Amino acid sequence: MHMRPPNTRLAIIALAVFAALSGLASAASNDYMASCSVFSLSQTAASVIPIIFMLVLVMVALAYLVGHGLHQPSFELWAKDEFANLLISAVFVIGIFAFFSLGCVVTDSLDQGAVQTSNSPFAIIYKYLDDLGNNYGMRTVNYLVTNSLNQQYKATAFLYLGVPIFGGWGIAQNANYKALSQQNELLIDLAMPAITSIRIQRSIFVFIEQMAFAIILPLALILRAFPFTRDYGNYAIAVVFGLYIVLPLTYVLFANVHYNFVAANPGLFTGGPSYGDAALSDVYWYNLGILFPQAILFPNIAIVITTTAIMSLSRAFRAIAV
């Protein structure tokens, strides 16, 4: 029985992936390769993925030998289909590695402000979210708490005139500071959920970086090895692609916008605290304002983009399957 001609779509995809890999290999430096190549990916995936490919190869070889020995063409046909799908899985894995490196090229081409170049998108994201949570979030909350306490202390000033027991009268000349203190506490109540949202986003990216290649991708390859679970495997690979490549790149763009805006408007975010003043410093208004887009708006935009990419890729992978 002759092998079927190779899948044209598979050949085109393989050609594009290997072209991308060759272009990256010629342009990358040692520092770049240390942070944006397969050497920086999960060690668990590096040890598990080859084992999975070997097990599938053994299963295909046994099925082909049984079919050839027992003269069962259905076994041979199944083995050939599984081998073709194994090649497709290999192309998918190489494609994820290639696009991860391409994402690093995009990252390095952007102006990240204080972020050093030759870093993976995850390093950029951690620096960006830490800057928001610590420099703009917690620093502002510390100022608001101190300012609120000072204003409450000022509000306690009370002038009393009179004779004990017989009565008298008094006036709280700084009572308005109590209202200003309540304003600070209201801003604290607004800032803390925003800081919490940013902290949670950072934790999610830590989870994605550690789990996408170590757990999800090997599981996806196992699911692709069997015809009745192949669609689930395609979807899991699309999830890895979306979470590990598309989602981080959207956050890199958010970080790029943030650092460029701060660099273009340095006066908005500089200035020391003036505890006890009647009016809240404009610097801290801007510090609070820069938190909320990343705490509320940007994650929803990233979710829409990533979900669309995952659904589109899963349909494309289903069409490519043999």
Side-chain angles (χ1 to χ4, degrees), residues 55 149 163 166 171 181 213 254 319:
L55 290 176
L149 293 175
V163 179
F166 296 101
I171 181 173
S181 174
F213 273 89
F254 298 154

Side-chain angles (χ1 to χ4, degrees), residues 146-213:
T146 305
N147 201 32
S148 176
L149 293 175
N150 285 333
Q151 288 170 343
Q152 290 184 41
Y153 175 75
K154 280 190 172 185
T156 60
F158 188 82
L159 177 62
Y160 179 82
L161 298 176
V163 179
I165 301 176
F166 296 101
W169 65 277
I171 181 173
Q173 64 271 22
N174 293 329
N176 61 304
Y177 279 97
K178 182 63 175 177
L180 296 175
S181 174
Q182 292 175 348
Q183 181 192 42
N184 282 269
E185 293 175 359
L186 175 62
L187 295 177
I188 294 171
D189 292 338
L190 293 175
M192 289 309 298
I195 296 173
T196 302
S197 172
I198 291 172
R199 296 288 191 184
I200 292 174
Q201 293 173 52
R202 191 190 191 283
S203 299
I204 290 174
F205 275 102
V206 172
F207 176 83
I208 291 173
E209 186 180 23
Q210 295 180 354
M211 300 296 289
F213 273 89

Side-chain angles (χ1 to χ4, degrees), residues 66-113:
V66 170
H68 189 74
L70 299 179
H71 302 287
Q72 294 291 334
S74 59
F75 280 86
E76 296 182 34
L77 181 61
W78 182 86
K80 293 175 183 179
D81 288 341
E82 289 304 310
F83 182 73
N85 279 290
L86 182 64
L87 294 180
I88 294 175
S89 297
V91 171
F92 287 165
V93 173
I94 295 172
I96 291 176
F97 289 148
F99 279 101
F100 178 73
S101 298
L102 286 173
C104 291
V105 172
V106 174
T107 299
D108 286 341
S109 68
L110 297 176
D111 178 18
Q112 296 107 21

Side-chain angles (χ1 to χ4, degrees), residues 7 34 51 100 241 244 319:
N7 193 312
I51 295 176
F100 178 73
F241 193 94
Y244 206 84

Side-chain angles (χ1 to χ4, degrees), residues 89-315:
S89 297
V91 171
F92 287 165
V93 173
I94 295 172
I96 291 176
F97 289 148
F99 279 101
F100 178 73
S101 298
L102 286 173
C104 291
V105 172
V106 174
T107 299
D108 286 341
S109 68
L110 297 176
D111 178 18
Q112 296 107 21
V115 181
Q116 298 296 323
T117 58
S118 298
N119 280 326
S120 71
F122 287 95
I124 306 297
I125 292 168
Y126 297 149
K127 179 68 169 61
Y128 165 58
L129 296 179
D130 287 341
D131 280 347
L132 287 180
N134 296 329
N135 296 336
Y136 296 94
M138 294 307 301
R139 188 181 68 153
T140 302
V141 170
N142 290 336
Y143 166 76
L144 291 172
V145 170
T146 305
N147 201 32
S148 176
L149 293 175
N150 285 333
Q151 288 170 343
Q152 290 184 41
Y153 175 75
K154 280 190 172 185
T156 60
F158 188 82
L159 177 62
Y160 179 82
L161 298 176
V163 179
I165 301 176
F166 296 101
W169 65 277
I171 181 173
Q173 64 271 22
N174 293 329
N176 61 304
Y177 279 97
K178 182 63 175 177
L180 296 175
S181 174
Q182 292 175 348
Q183 181 192 42
N184 282 269
E185 293 175 359
L186 175 62
L187 295 177
I188 294 171
D189 292 338
L190 293 175
M192 289 309 298
I195 296 173
T196 302
S197 172
I198 291 172
R199 296 288 191 184
I200 292 174
Q201 293 173 52
R202 191 190 191 283
S203 299
I204 290 174
F205 275 102
V206 172
F207 176 83
I208 291 173
E209 186 180 23
Q210 295 180 354
M211 300 296 289
F213 273 89
I215 303 297
I216 304 177
L217 184 58
L219 178 61
L221 296 177
I222 294 174
L223 293 175
R224 287 203 86 257
F226 303 97
F228 51 88
T229 59
R230 185 159 297 138
D231 287 341
Y232 299 104
N234 291 333
Y235 185 78
I237 292 177
V239 169
V240 172
F241 193 94
L243 295 181
Y244 206 84
I245 297 173
V246 178
L247 183 62
L249 286 181
T250 58
Y251 270 70
V252 168
L253 294 177
F254 298 154
N256 180 55
V257 172
H258 166 77
Y259 286 117
N260 284 337
F261 178 78
V262 173
N265 302 275
L268 298 181
F269 305 96
T270 57
S274 52
Y275 300 115
D277 285 353
L280 187 63
S281 175
D282 290 342
V283 171
Y284 296 96
W285 283 108
Y286 286 114
N287 286 344
L288 283 177
I290 209 168
L291 292 176
F292 293 109
Q294 186 57 61
I296 301 172
L297 176 62
F298 291 166
N300 288 283
I301 296 176
I303 289 172
V304 171
I305 295 173
T306 305
T307 303
T308 303
I310 290 174
M311 299 306 295
S312 300
L313 286 171
S314 65
R315 288 194 293 267

